[in-house]
Amino acid sequence: MNAPHDLPLSSFDDEDSNRSDNPRFDTVLAARLSRRGVLRGSLGSALTAAFGGLSLAACGSDDEAAAAPVPAAPTETLLGFTAVSKSLADAFTVPEGYTATVVLACGDPLFAGVPAYRNDGTDTGYDKRSGDCHDGMEYFGLSATGTPDAGANDRALIGMNHEYVSQQFLHARGPSALPRPASETDIEVDCHGVAIVEFAKTGGKFACVQASPFNRRITGLTEIQIAGPARGHALLVTKYSPDATRTRGTLNNCGTGKTPWGTLLTGEENWTGYFYRAAGDQALRSAKVNTAFARYGRNVTATAAAASRYGWETSGSDDKYARWNTSQTGSSANGSDDYRHELNGQGYITEIDPYRAASAIKKRTALGRFAHESAAFATPVAGQPVVAYMGDDAQGEYIYKFVSAATWSAADANPADRIAVGDKYLDAGTLYVARFNDDGSGQWLPLTLANPAVAGYATYAFADAGDIAINTRLAADAAGATKMDRPEWCGVHPGTGEVYFTLTNNSNRRTAPTGSQTKVDAANPRAYSDVRGAATVQQGNVNGHIVRVKDAGGNAAATSFTWDVYLFGAESTASATMVNLSGLTGEQDFSSPDGLVFSKSTGLCWIQTDDGAFTDASNCMMLAARPGTVGDGAAVTLDYGSGVAVTTRVGKKASPATLKRFLVGPAEQEITGLCESPDGKVLFVNVQHPGESTSSANLADPSKYTSHWPGNAGYGAGGSAARPRSATVMITKNDGGRIGS
Ligand code: FEO
Ligand code: CA
Ligand code: CA
């Protein structure tokens, strides 16, 4: 997510443990000033005078074809649709010849007997309704008789993340001040987590099955098992689980993954801000524990507490509220009488079997603890380890991959007990972090005590593998990983096996950094100013980029790789030599790539935006892309003057045949999450937090809402005066063809 722009919640997203004192984007974005020139202002004028500095050289070429899994039929042209124009309309716009239909929105009933959603702030019982802020999702096919069938096109379970809450719309007059009423906290906790929802198709279109026995809600309070190296660890002892084997809830669920054995993985992203830590708590804790708190954004001093984003810990003495205070309040030596370790229970990849509504849920701690986004699997190869790629979305954080100890057996693809198969592949293995070298090579650095850089780290003495699983960021610091521009989703190209990572933006990237700012490097080469009128509204890597990685020898478990930058986000009118390095036109320009999913049917790469920079020109959007391969472009040198020059590797420039805007969403939302029917003919995407800047003070006057979607599209109560709702949209092609043709 990007932070809600006008709300004080902003400090709880995009958490920055590097302690930047930069002004945040969020405070300046709401001013919808007229279009501006990029690279004007102080930096820009200096640059335009100084440049010429473009140099081209051939990169190592690679003839490996970018094959789609199912070739287009002779009558089908992928990217044959007409590009959708940038738009500020409060509408969901798809290309001519396509239809978009809302199929599930925040608050919709998922179980029998649950009343219809009134959408006026008086609804309750969200543990039996769709949660809020729909995010990543995955498709799990069901046969006509209700058995798992990965190839099923007519009946499916969708596993969906509910990242956070558009808090003002959940209550009649918006959220109350602290202390928060328990009734409001209960609603908000229940709106978080994950939903498993059955959809069935009739007449070519899917609809939600309200009372399906498969439907399930996992909330911020659902019991979850701790699995992997941190299970039973001293750092996870709580009053709720003195043996450190359980916790409650999965929080701020952002990206997703689908395992080769048919389970849902959900990534816990900006969880740290849900927990209150009292001023003075640092004096009660060890130096090592305080180092860990600081690295995960919960530092306190004698006078400054770490406030929580929603104040759930203020709702009473009941244990379900007290747990949100991660201060030492008890007198035990090990933390079994309080929630001093509760923060360590979040930040994982959590595994859910969508096919069994009563199955245990497990946090897979071997995959590390950070601001998780998606988990993308390499195509499994019999006899080889299973490999999953991941990103940590905060400024200057890292890219990771997990390589299982067990080797893949095809017999595990459709097992009777999916969670047991998860135990086999996800609880033992090696977690690596990426170092991107300036010469286009890279290394995967192991986060184990066998790595001397980790074992001998002066800043933090790791006790064991469980300590590394819990304090992954510190281990990655020790290993020497490369600070990236906010790694969001990743995806594995189904034809080439190359891995694409969105780097959404980074206001902390500079050519001449001070304080906690990070200097431009080959893999994060841009730092510039975005100017509207006379005002510089953003600096750093304003529009984000997509880096891609080719593991050595086509072996996903390899410890070295080559890389290039597949695509740079930019405005089409920005400097072609310093900003718009991929040559984007008005049919392609975008900012802040976030969601990224490859279609297993068409091979298309879907790119979704969560943007606060280009939003004076367009609402957030989704593009369809046909990428090539690492090294298909050229080396480019960005000469910033004053002796600062960075040579990066840019993928082949975009063309109408390789990149096209497919949809634009309604006002003040992000497009996120994508799944499809196996035949590629039905695509689901999520619209998150439309109308997010609407203030509680304006709830009584619908004319002041900044969005009314999807009510204004005919979905649900309220019509064109409705409170906006996060929602799932089904996209079909009117001629029955595959999506993206
Ligand atoms: Fe929830 Fe990093 O987006
Ligand atoms: Ca985001
Ligand atoms: Ca995201």
Side-chain angles (χ1 to χ4, degrees):
M1 81 178 91
N2 247 20
H5 292 162
D6 288 334
L7 304 175
L9 304 181
S10 58
S11 59
F12 301 104
D13 292 327
D14 305 339
E15 175 268 326
D16 172 15
S17 65
N18 288 333
R19 295 288 178 274
S20 164
D21 57 0
N22 286 348
R24 292 192 56 86
F25 289 179
D26 317 290
T27 55
V28 291
L29 294 181
R32 291 173 174 273
L33 303 178
S34 58
R35 285 302 315 143
R36 72 288 192 189
V38 170
L39 276 178
R40 276 191 262 118
S42 56
L43 173 65
S45 53
L47 291 176
T48 43
F51 285 114
L54 174 70
S55 67
L56 298 172
C59 246
S61 69
D62 182 340
D63 294 325
E64 193 171 1
V70 180
T75 54
E76 180 187 60
T77 303
L78 292 176
L79 268 57
F81 61 87
T82 299
V84 169
S85 299
K86 293 186 287 287
S87 171
L88 293 171
D90 189 26
F92 189 98
T93 308
V94 290
E96 188 178 346
Y98 283 85
T99 299
T101 310
V102 176
V103 293
L104 185 75
C106 174
D108 279 348
L110 297 179
F111 296 88
V114 179
Y117 195 57
R118 292 184 292 266
N119 195 23
D120 58 3
T122 66
D123 299 281
T124 58
Y126 285 87
D127 59 339
K128 293 185 168 54
R129 300 180 179 276
S130 168
D132 199 359
C133 286
H134 302 34
D135 206 315
M137 59 183 159
E138 303 289 342
Y139 181 104
F140 301 93
L142 275 178
S143 71
T145 57
T147 56
D149 178 1
N153 288 303
D154 295 334
R155 187 180 178 193
L157 305 174
I158 291 182
M160 183 178 315
N161 283 343
H162 295 291
E163 188 181 27
Y164 66 110
V165 291
S166 290
Q167 195 180 24
Q168 68 275 47
F169 301 123
L170 295 177
H171 312 296
R173 290 176 295 281
S176 302
L178 303 184
R180 299 293 313 285
S183 59
E184 292 185 9
T185 292
D186 292 345
I187 285 171
E188 293 170 17
V189 173
D190 282 345
C191 276
H192 281 70
V194 174
I196 308 294
V197 184
E198 183 180 342
F199 288 84
K201 197 195 263 177
T202 50
K205 295 203 170 184
F206 282 97
C208 172
V209 181
Q210 179 180 339
S212 166
F214 290 102
N215 288 357
R216 185 178 192 181
R217 274 303 318 280
I218 295 130
T219 74
L221 274 177
T222 303
E223 177 168 299
I224 299 183
Q225 306 290 315
I226 306 290
R231 180 175 174 84
H233 200 279
L235 292 174
L236 283 163
V237 170
T238 63
K239 186 177 176 184
Y240 179 75
S241 182
D243 65 356
T245 59
R246 299 173 298 141
T247 188
R248 282 169 289 185
T250 179
L251 283 184
N252 210 264
N253 306 82
C254 193
T256 48
K258 184 177 179 180
T259 64
W261 51 97
T263 58
L264 174 71
L265 298 184
T266 179
E268 299 167 358
E269 189 193 9
N270 291 311
W271 40 272
T272 196
Y274 288 75
F275 295 89
Y276 171 79
R277 189 179 177 211
D281 185 63
Q282 86 291 346
L284 305 175
R285 317 297 288 270
S286 70
K288 192 175 154 180
V289 165
N290 284 319
T291 296
F293 268 120
R295 191 63 182 86
Y296 285 91
R298 291 288 88 181
N299 197 32
V300 293
T301 68
T303 54
S308 64
R309 66 186 288 166
Y310 298 128
W312 293 343
E313 78 284 355
T314 66
S315 291
S317 57
D318 189 296
D319 192 68
K320 70 180 179 179
Y321 309 121
R323 65 169 294 217
W324 302 110
N325 179 356
T326 194
S327 314
Q328 180 169 328
T329 59
S331 56
S332 67
N334 68 351
S336 60
D337 60 346
D338 62 17
Y339 288 99
R340 74 187 72 165
H341 296 137
E342 190 74 346
L343 188 72
N344 293 336
Q346 301 292 332
Y348 300 103
I349 289 287
T350 291
E351 183 178 21
I352 301 164
D353 179 355
Y355 292 111
R356 290 194 304 160
S359 51
I361 302 168
K362 295 196 175 182
K363 301 214 176 198
R364 298 298 183 185
T365 64
L367 279 64
R369 176 169 165 265
F370 42 87
H372 274 287
E373 290 278 342
S374 68
F377 284 83
T379 302
V381 177
Q384 299 294 315
V386 169
V387 177
Y389 301 88
M390 300 169 286
D392 180 357
D393 180 13
Q395 292 178 344
E397 293 298 344
Y398 307 129
I399 284 172
Y400 296 85
K401 81 172 176 185
F402 174 77
V403 178
S404 70
T407 57
W408 177 243
S409 166
D412 288 330
N414 189 19
D417 185 344
R418 288 180 158 75
I419 293 297
V421 174
D423 295 343
K424 174 180 174 183
Y425 292 108
L426 297 182
D427 283 349
T430 304
L431 184 63
Y432 295 88
V433 69
R435 180 165 65 206
F436 290 78
N437 301 319
D438 288 352
D439 65 359
S441 67
Q443 276 83 42
W444 292 106
L445 309 167
L447 302 182
T448 67
L449 288 172
N451 180 343
V454 175
Y457 192 41
T459 301
Y460 187 93
F462 292 96
D464 48 35
D467 199 356
I468 292 173
I470 293 167
N471 291 300
T472 308
R473 283 179 173 171
L474 287 161
D477 293 344
T482 300
K483 292 182 173 182
M484 307 300 286
D485 286 343
R486 294 187 52 202
E488 291 258 14
W489 286 64
C490 54
V492 177
H493 190 300
T496 67
E498 295 174 0
V499 196
Y500 290 65
F501 295 88
T502 55
L503 301 168
T504 193
N505 56 59
N506 187 355
S507 60
N508 216 24
R509 187 70 66 177
R510 288 294 188 281
T511 56
T514 59
S516 67
Q517 295 171 345
T518 310
K519 189 170 184 176
V520 287
D521 62 22
N524 303 274
R526 293 187 309 175
Y528 52 102
S529 296
D530 187 10
V531 179
R532 300 184 194 183
T536 297
V537 293
Q538 298 191 18
Q539 288 184 276
N541 179 5
V542 175
N543 303 116
H545 59 288
I546 301 173
V547 71
R548 64 184 163 188
V549 161
K550 179 185 182 66
D551 278 320
N555 172 15
T559 55
S560 63
F561 60 86
T562 53
W563 63 268
D564 70 4
V565 176
Y566 159 54
L567 198 61
F568 285 96
E571 300 174 27
S572 62
T573 54
S575 162
T577 54
M578 296 301 290
V579 177
N580 188 12
L581 301 176
S582 295
L584 305 184
T585 67
E587 295 187 338
Q588 301 163 327
D589 50 356
F590 69 95
S591 177
S592 296
D594 186 338
L596 184 148
V597 180
F598 279 94
S599 165
K600 285 192 161 51
S601 172
T602 59
L604 290 177
C605 178
W606 295 102
I607 300 166
Q608 304 172 320
T609 70
D610 173 14
D611 183 39
F614 202 22
T615 44
D616 54 337
S618 183
N619 300 336
C620 290
M621 60 185 71
M622 184 168 88
L623 304 99
R626 304 181 75 187
T629 61
V630 169
D632 64 4
V636 171
T637 297
L638 294 106
D639 188 343
Y640 290 100
S642 304
V644 178
V646 178
T647 298
T648 188
R649 284 153 179 78
V650 187
K652 187 177 179 181
K653 286 185 190 294
S655 76
T658 63
L659 182 68
K660 199 174 276 187
R661 186 180 303 106
F662 180 78
L663 69 82
V664 178
E668 295 185 352
Q669 49 79 52
E670 70 178 84
I671 300 292
T672 184
L674 182 145
C675 63
E676 63 180 354
S677 57
D679 60 10
K681 295 181 177 179
V682 180
L683 202 67
F684 298 90
V685 301
N686 280 325
V687 170
Q688 188 187 92
H689 64 70
E692 67 172 344
S693 76
T694 304
S695 86
S696 297
N698 287 333
L699 284 173
D701 182 357
S703 73
K704 292 181 176 171
Y705 299 179
T706 56
S707 170
H708 296 98
W709 189 91
N712 63 3
Y715 189 85
S720 58
R723 294 181 179 206
R725 300 160 74 185
S726 292
T728 304
V729 180
M730 168 180 62
I731 299 169
T732 50
K733 197 168 184 222
N734 299 346
D735 66 5
R738 295 197 294 176
I739 310 305
S741 60

